[in-house]
Amino acid sequence: MIRVRFAPSPTGLLHVGNVRTGLFAWFFARQKNGAYILRIEDTDRERSRSEYEDQIFQDLRWLGIDWDEGPDVGGPRGPYRQSERFPIYKEYALRLIQSGHAFWCFCSEEQLEIQAEQIKAENLNWKYPGTCRGLPKDVADSRLNAGDPAVVRLKVREGHIRFHDVVHGAMEFSSDVISEPILLRSDGSPTYNYAVVIDDALMEITHVIRGDDHLSNTPKQVLIYEALGRPLPEFAHLSTILGPDHTRLSKRHGATAVAHFRGAGYLPEALMNYIALLGWSPTSEGSEVIPPADLVQHFRLDRVNKSPAVFDVNKLNFINRHYMKSNPAVPRLVLDELEKTGWIPSTDRETWLALVLDTVLASVDTISEVPAALDNVLGFPLENTTDIRETLDDPGAIDLIRRFAAEMQGKAQLTFDDYRVIVNRLKDATKRKGRQLFHPLRVALTGKSSGPELDKLIPLIETGARLRIKDVLGCKDRVQAFLARYGSAGPAMGYSKS
Ligand code: GLU
C-alpha cells in the first residue's frame, strides 16, 4: 500500500511552497488509494508554535485536503508530532550504537568549530575528523557515567551513495564529502535528518515527496536507512517556486500564505487548481482549469517538472474568476463580505444580492473585492469627475442629458422599463445612437466614463437608493446634480479644459 506523508514544521504560516508539497503528495496518495499521513515536525522547540499547527490543520482542511493519520486524528503508527517521539529517537540511536552503525562523540562544539575555522581558512571543506569514532566502549561508557556531554553520530561508510528520485532521476553522491552526521544532540533532541528517517521508516512511508531544498540532505538520510536496515522509499524532490522577478518566492512578492489567500477571498478550489499547476501540467493540451476531483485523477508525479515554477498571481486570478461563476457558496460568501462593509440593506437582501452578483462579480478577481467594486460602481464622484471631457465638450451630449432629465420629471424613480422607453424616444428625437447616445447618459448617471452595462447598472443604482444603502443617490438625483454642475452653463463653465 502506498503511504505518503506531508511533514510541515509549525514555525510559520503554510505558504504556497510548502502547501504545494502537501498537495502533490495528497494527489498522489488519493489517486493510488494510498494513505495520506500528516506529521508535524516540531523539534525546533523555540520556533514551533501550537497556533501555527492549528493554522496548518485549518488551512489544509479549507483547501480540501484530508488525512488518514495525523496528530489530531490519530492512527496506528503515531504519535504524529515529533516532539512526542523523543523516546523513540533515543531507543533507535542506542540500537544503532549497539549494532556498530553509530557512536558516542564527546567532541565539544567549540573544539570542532576551531578546527573547522582552520580548515576553512585553508579553503578546504571541513568534515568531522572521526575523533571519537573508534573510542572503546568502556571509555565511552565511563565518560557518559561521569556526565560528559555527548552526541550520537552516524558512521559514514565508504563508497557512493545512490538513490532514485522521481523528479531528478538517478542520484549519486560520494560519501567522501559527507561529515559523519549527528543523530541525537547532547540534550537528547534529534536532528532533522535523523528524526525524518526514523519517522518515515516506522510510519512505513513509501514515497517521500518534499521540496528540493532537501535534496542535499537525502544522501545522509539514505545512510541512516541503510544503518537501520530499512528499505529506501521513493523520493520526489519538487522544484523551488520563484516570484515574478525569478527570485525565490517570499513575502517580498506579496501574499504567499494560504491564510492570506483565504482572507483575500480566493476560493479554495481555485487556489488548489492554481498551485497544482506550479511545476506540473496535464498531459493533454487544453484548459488549465481543472477541478480538484479531476486533479486527483490526472496528476502524474513522474510528470513533475524539475525546473523552478514561477508564481503568477494573474493566472491565479483568472482561475479564481472562473470558479466564482460556478461555486454555489459564492452568494453566501459575497453576502458575508457585504455585511462586513455596510453594503447590505436591512430588507430585500435577495433582490439586492442578485443585482450585485449580476453587476459586479464579473469585474472582480476575488470575493473580497466586491465591496470596493460596489463603492466604485455606485459612487458618484461629481466633485472630481474625471475623464468626461468628451461629453462636456459636446453640446449635443449636454442637450441629450437635459432631455433625459426632462423625461424623468414627474417620475419618483427610473424603472428599467421607463429607461428603455426614454432611451428609445431620445434616440428618435436626437438621431444619436450607440456610444453617442449611451456615453453621455453613463457620464451623467455615474460621473465616470466606464463601468458595467447601463442595463444592469440602472436597476442596481435605483435599488440601492430605494433600500437606502450607504446614501446611494437615485438616477434622477444624479442627473439633476450633474446638470446643476455642468449643464446650464455649457461646456466651459465649472470645468477646466487644461
Ligand atoms: N519539516 C520539513 C520541512 O518543512 C519537512 C522535510 C521533509 O519532508 O522531509 O521542510
Side-chain angles (χ1 to χ4, degrees):
M1 154 121 151
I2 299 276
R3 291 179 54 85
V4 188
R5 70 359 178 237
F6 177 42
S9 300
T11 53
L13 293 176
L14 207 54
H15 53 78
V16 170
N18 40 41
V19 84
R20 195 252 325 236
T21 303
L23 198 55
F24 282 17
W26 183 77
F27 290 150
F28 185 71
R30 291 292 171 254
Q31 174 181 94
K32 304 281 180 210
N33 292 320
Y36 187 67
I37 295 120
L38 179 62
R39 183 171 75 225
I40 295 293
E41 302 213 324
D42 59 349
T43 52
D44 183 342
R45 302 309 292 152
E46 271 177 21
R47 292 175 58 227
S48 298
R49 302 244 185 296
S50 64
E51 306 88 87
Y52 288 135
E53 181 182 305
D54 292 342
Q55 187 74 44
I56 290 171
F57 298 159
Q58 277 181 34
D59 288 348
L60 293 176
R61 289 208 167 96
W62 173 75
L63 266 178
I65 299 181
D66 58 345
W67 47 99
D68 309 303
E69 298 169 33
D72 55 339
V73 297
R77 293 176 183 78
Y80 295 92
R81 231 178 243 112
Q82 287 190 325
S83 58
E84 293 166 15
R85 299 175 60 82
F86 279 31
I88 301 175
Y89 303 133
K90 182 163 180 199
E91 180 195 328
Y92 279 86
L94 295 177
R95 284 198 204 176
L96 286 172
I97 294 174
Q98 225 160 29
S99 64
H101 291 95
F103 59 95
W104 290 107
C105 167
F106 298 90
C107 299
S108 73
E109 258 175 62
E110 299 80 60
Q111 236 175 312
L112 295 176
E113 254 163 42
I114 295 169
Q115 277 183 12
E117 287 307 315
Q118 283 170 353
I119 301 265
K120 276 183 201 149
E122 293 166 38
N123 257 342
L124 297 170
N125 279 333
W126 181 83
K127 64 179 211 175
Y128 175 71
T131 320
C132 298
R133 198 179 215 257
L135 220 55
K137 185 175 177 322
D138 54 335
V139 177
D141 285 349
S142 66
R143 288 190 69 171
L144 286 174
N145 287 337
D148 280 4
V151 302
V152 177
R153 279 185 196 273
L154 183 78
K155 284 185 187 165
V156 169
R157 63 158 172 81
E158 291 186 347
H160 284 87
I161 301 162
R162 298 189 178 89
F163 62 92
H164 179 257
D165 189 283
V166 178
V167 181
H168 296 262
M171 304 296 295
E172 183 177 302
F173 293 80
S174 162
S175 60
D176 290 352
V177 294
I178 295 181
S179 189
E180 300 195 297
I182 295 178
L183 306 180
L184 278 191
R185 300 187 188 91
S186 56
D187 63 2
S189 65
T191 56
Y192 157 70
N193 280 316
Y194 175 58
V196 88
V197 172
I198 292 292
D199 293 349
D200 287 339
L202 297 183
M203 293 179 187
E204 296 178 27
I205 300 301
T206 56
H207 292 73
V208 168
I209 301 172
R210 62 185 168 201
D212 66 5
D213 47 333
H214 290 295
L215 195 54
S216 60
N217 287 320
T218 309
K220 284 182 190 167
Q221 296 182 14
V222 167
L223 291 172
I224 301 173
Y225 278 100
E226 284 179 11
L228 290 168
R230 299 274 180 158
L232 290 185
E234 275 282 5
F235 292 99
H237 286 93
L238 310 177
S239 70
T240 319
I241 300 177
L242 306 178
D245 59 355
H246 288 235
T247 63
R248 201 186 166 90
L249 186 69
S250 74
K251 285 191 198 121
R252 282 181 304 111
H253 296 105
T256 56
V258 173
H260 293 151
F261 290 110
R262 180 183 185 174
Y266 287 91
L267 293 171
E269 66 272 34
L271 191 61
M272 181 188 276
N273 187 158
Y274 177 64
I275 291 176
L277 302 173
L278 290 170
W280 171 80
S281 52
T283 19
S284 53
E285 292 289 310
S287 173
E288 289 188 308
V289 177
I290 314 166
D294 296 348
L295 286 168
V296 167
Q297 198 193 334
H298 295 304
F299 178 77
R300 290 287 172 275
L301 191 58
D302 55 9
R303 275 183 51 84
V304 167
N305 203 326
K306 68 176 163 206
S307 44
V310 178
F311 187 82
D312 175 2
V313 76
N314 295 323
K315 191 154 159 186
L316 169 62
N317 290 343
F318 166 80
I319 291 178
N320 197 57
R321 285 201 299 273
H322 175 89
Y323 285 103
M324 278 198 298
K325 286 185 217 148
S326 56
N327 184 317
V330 164
R332 175 76 244 165
L333 295 170
V334 170
L335 195 67
D336 290 347
E337 277 312 310
L338 296 178
E339 237 155 16
K340 279 190 236 160
T341 49
W343 265 123
I344 189 81
S346 46
T347 56
D348 216 356
R349 292 175 162 215
E350 297 218 330
T351 312
W352 176 245
L353 185 62
L355 288 169
V356 171
L357 292 174
D358 194 30
T359 317
V360 296
L361 204 59
S363 69
V364 296
D365 289 328
T366 69
I367 285 162
S368 59
E369 290 173 9
V370 169
L374 266 182
D375 271 331
N376 183 38
V377 161
L378 289 178
F380 186 50
L382 201 55
E383 293 313 309
N384 50 7
T385 38
T386 51
D387 210 12
I388 60 170
R389 172 180 310 217
E390 186 191 340
T391 301
L392 297 178
D393 280 349
D394 171 4
I398 299 293
D399 173 61
L400 176 84
I401 295 168
R402 278 204 204 102
R403 286 169 185 256
F404 188 67
E407 291 279 357
M408 274 195 281
Q409 286 304 321
K411 294 191 197 307
Q413 59 162 56
L414 182 65
T415 65
F416 183 67
D417 290 341
D418 286 343
Y419 163 72
R420 300 297 318 178
V421 171
I422 295 174
V423 162
N424 282 332
R425 228 181 266 158
L426 295 180
K427 191 173 168 188
D428 292 343
T430 63
K431 304 283 177 253
R432 293 171 82 99
K433 55 182 183 186
R435 185 179 159 80
Q436 271 215 317
L437 178 64
F438 291 107
H439 193 69
L441 299 183
R442 167 182 302 286
V443 167
L445 283 165
T446 68
K448 292 174 288 257
S449 66
S450 63
E453 290 166 53
L454 284 179
D455 283 5
K456 289 186 175 182
L457 195 54
I458 285 170
L460 189 74
I461 291 175
E462 287 297 9
T463 309
R466 175 170 59 80
L467 298 173
R468 297 186 194 291
I469 308 168
K470 284 203 177 187
D471 300 326
V472 172
L473 275 187
C475 292
K476 198 167 151 183
D477 292 337
R478 289 172 178 233
V479 174
Q480 268 160 10
F482 184 88
L483 286 172
R485 184 172 172 87
Y486 297 113
S488 54
M493 290 269 290
Y495 165 67
S496 150
K497 280 189 159 191
S498 64

